[in-house]
Amino acid sequence: MSLNRIEQMLFDYLQRHAEERHFWQAKVHELMQKTENDFAAATALADGLRMYYEERCRVVPLFHEVSAREGLRRISLRNLAEHLMRIWGPIRPANRSKRIESE
């Protein structure tokens, strides 16, 4: 999975800050349990990560420097959302009915 520069910076930040990481791990589980549709869960997670990034830009010096230099332009956080769902989300069984239909 290839993350853009902002996604990688945010992921590294979460890896270094256990409290923040635990919050997002719980958020991933919650979103994935609320919906069986991974697309909707990834969209909601990406939106949440976007708001989180904007909030962190006000208080974390590294994020503030980047946002001051580049502005808070709309950056896709979809790859990060999908990556977090893969590494932190619950394992979902394959949908057997879809597999049978395709055979």
Side-chain angles (χ1 to χ4, degrees), residues 24-97:
W24 283 101
Q25 286 170 333
K27 188 78 162 170
V28 167
H29 274 270
E30 176 188 332
L31 283 170
M32 290 183 76
Q33 287 176 349
K34 269 201 257 185
T35 180
E36 290 184 22
N37 181 338
D38 285 348
F39 182 82
T43 300
L45 185 58
D47 290 344
L49 287 165
R50 171 80 179 154
M51 289 187 295
Y52 176 71
Y53 172 69
E54 290 174 358
E55 184 270 331
R56 293 283 88 186
C57 283
R58 292 189 284 275
V59 295
V60 176
L62 175 61
F63 293 171
H64 181 74
E65 289 172 20
V66 171
S67 67
R69 186 174 57 245
E70 300 177 12
L72 283 175
R73 61 184 174 20
R74 185 77 179 166
I75 298 168
S76 173
L77 297 174
R78 180 67 182 223
N79 284 346
L80 178 59
E82 291 175 356
H83 180 64
L84 296 180
M85 288 171 60
R86 278 190 203 101
I87 63 173
W88 293 340
I91 297 173
R92 294 188 184 201
N95 189 338
R96 183 163 168 70
S97 63

Side-chain angles (χ1 to χ4, degrees), residues 16-29:
R16 288 190 310 269
H17 295 86
E19 189 173 316
E20 302 287 323
R21 184 177 61 252
H22 294 300
F23 170 82
W24 283 101
Q25 286 170 333
K27 188 78 162 170
V28 167
H29 274 270

